[in-house]
Amino acid sequence: MLGTLKSTLLQSPDYEDGYKQMLCAVEYAGAYEDSIEFHSFLLDKNPFNALAWMNLGYAYSALEKYEAAGEAFGFAYAIDDKNYDAYMEMGEILIHQKHFRRAVIVYKQAIALCGVSIMGLHKLGFCFERMSHYKTACQYYLKAIDLNGKDATSFYRMGVCAMAEKQFRLAIQFFNSAIAIDDSDENFYLDLARAYKNNNQLTKALRAYRIATDVAPDLETSWVELIAFLLEANQMRTAEQITQEALLNITTPRLEIFNLGIQYTLNRKKTALKLLKMFVEQTKGTKPSLLFKYFPALANEKDIIDVMSNHI
């Protein structure tokens, strides 16, 4: 496949679909070094080939060679100043490098030359978020909503901004607006739960955590935060029930720690110590801080310390 595409592009270096097909083939095969060599060869023949610069940038980016990737995407939009994808990719590189001010310049340039897009507004908003300029970020999210009133992402990001400024009631409104548009994203419910918790609306927080686990039962974060929430409320038996449910869907070290810690706290010490022994044998070198973070009282239990000392 790659060989055929190379031959095609060598014969027809302006064949746009060929570069798209090459990009897909390279990604499928993971042939990024090969892609760099081939597109560099094309650029030696014609350094004004914006399509080759794009594919070169994608290959460098996949190999986490971000400086080289940024240089390639920069050449791509220098050659074709209407190359929207080049601006977007350059912005992503700069965000990855935490060069948010430079990314803002690139995204604004894209909008000036290629027109306003919801994605461009999202990216600008995100950059200002990362620079803690939350009001400016929200201005861009509001512009995106003006373009599409059903833009759940912008409502959600405004909720994140409100959370950062500890405006929890406002965050709750934004998160609920996002959920009203898209009720399939666990992050919307997870952040809604955090906002309710910070606003001391604990029953609503519990409900939002529960929905987050229902929406994405195979993801750890919602389960962990829900169980930690129940432990803080001293709802040990409910925490046990939720932990067992979580372990039916996903097994992670933190969930295993919750399970053995809860068993010990409920005075099922023999079961807990057996689980602890299995855990430390399977995770050699694991520090005990994870257990003691959620169950600090266990740091003073001799039998717990003995198992850890013998197996770590």
Side-chain angles (χ1 to χ4, degrees):
M1 179 71 172
L2 284 173
T4 302
L5 288 170
K6 286 179 182 180
S7 297
T8 300
L9 290 175
L10 286 170
Q11 294 173 13
S12 305
D14 296 325
Y15 179 43
E16 184 173 348
D17 284 346
Y19 289 94
K20 295 177 182 177
Q21 293 169 23
M22 174 66 80
L23 179 62
C24 292
V26 166
E27 289 179 350
Y28 181 79
Y32 299 111
E33 294 287 0
D34 191 10
S35 179
I36 290 169
E37 182 179 348
F38 175 70
H39 289 95
S40 295
F41 177 78
L42 290 180
L43 289 164
D44 285 340
K45 289 178 170 292
N46 176 16
F48 297 99
N49 185 338
L51 297 170
W53 280 116
M54 287 296 294
N55 278 11
L56 186 64
Y58 287 128
Y60 277 128
S61 181
L63 295 174
E64 300 182 359
K65 297 180 179 180
Y66 298 115
E67 291 292 339
E71 182 177 297
F73 292 130
F75 277 120
Y77 66 68
I79 295 165
D80 176 8
D81 65 1
K82 296 296 197 298
N83 189 334
Y84 178 78
D85 289 340
Y87 292 109
M88 293 296 105
E89 294 298 334
M90 173 65 102
E92 284 295 320
I93 294 295
L94 293 170
I95 286 174
H96 184 85
Q97 295 174 313
K98 300 186 178 0
H99 297 322
F100 301 112
R101 292 188 185 280
R102 289 172 58 192
V104 165
I105 293 171
V106 171
Y107 289 129
K108 285 185 175 180
Q109 189 176 0
I111 287 174
L113 293 170
C114 305
V116 177
S117 70
I118 289 177
M119 180 184 292
L121 293 171
H122 284 173
K123 295 298 184 181
L124 280 165
F126 181 75
C127 288
F128 281 107
E129 265 189 65
R130 296 304 300 269
M131 293 188 287
S132 300
H133 298 168
Y134 300 113
K135 287 183 173 57
T136 303
C138 286
Q139 290 173 10
Y140 286 103
Y141 295 136
L142 285 169
K143 288 180 181 179
I145 291 170
D146 285 342
L147 292 178
N148 177 11
K150 297 293 187 180
D151 180 15
T153 297
S154 286
F155 281 111
Y156 171 68
R157 295 311 316 175
M158 286 195 293
V160 172
C161 290
M163 285 284 284
E165 294 191 313
K166 301 188 184 307
Q167 297 182 37
F168 303 121
R169 288 184 181 276
L170 184 59
I172 289 166
Q173 293 176 21
F174 286 137
F175 292 141
N176 275 319
S177 294
I179 290 167
I181 297 167
D182 179 5
D183 62 1
S184 65
D185 192 319
E186 75 281 356
N187 289 310
F188 294 0
Y189 292 104
L190 185 56
D191 275 315
L192 176 63
R194 293 164 178 161
Y196 277 132
K197 181 182 176 183
N198 279 289
N199 204 47
N200 205 33
Q201 294 175 264
L202 302 185
T203 300
K204 290 184 176 181
L206 178 60
R207 187 181 306 125
Y209 276 130
R210 182 73 262 203
I211 296 173
T213 62
D214 289 341
V215 169
D218 57 338
L219 297 180
E220 178 194 43
T221 303
S222 297
W223 289 112
V224 168
E225 290 200 25
L226 171 57
I227 297 164
F229 176 83
L230 293 168
L231 292 176
E232 289 174 17
N234 202 30
Q235 298 292 316
M236 194 64 61
R237 295 196 178 277
T238 305
E240 179 190 18
Q241 176 187 343
I242 295 297
T243 301
Q244 296 304 318
E245 182 181 345
L247 287 168
L248 291 174
N249 290 280
I250 180 174
T251 301
T252 70
R254 281 197 292 181
L255 291 174
E256 291 177 339
I257 284 289
F258 276 132
N259 186 31
L260 69 90
I262 289 169
Q263 296 301 319
Y264 194 95
T265 304
L266 291 174
N267 209 31
R268 300 170 191 153
K269 296 185 178 181
K270 185 175 180 180
T271 298
L273 292 172
K274 181 180 179 180
L275 291 171
L276 179 58
K277 181 179 178 181
M278 292 171 57
F279 179 81
V280 294
E281 286 178 345
Q282 293 169 4
T283 57
K284 296 293 185 183
T286 298
K287 296 180 179 179
S289 57
L290 194 61
L291 175 62
F292 301 146
K293 173 184 177 182
Y294 297 109
F295 303 92
L298 300 192
N300 299 317
E301 296 293 337
K302 185 178 182 303
D303 46 7
I304 293 282
I305 301 301
D306 286 345
V307 170
M308 292 212 169
S309 299
N310 290 333
H311 293 88
I312 293 180

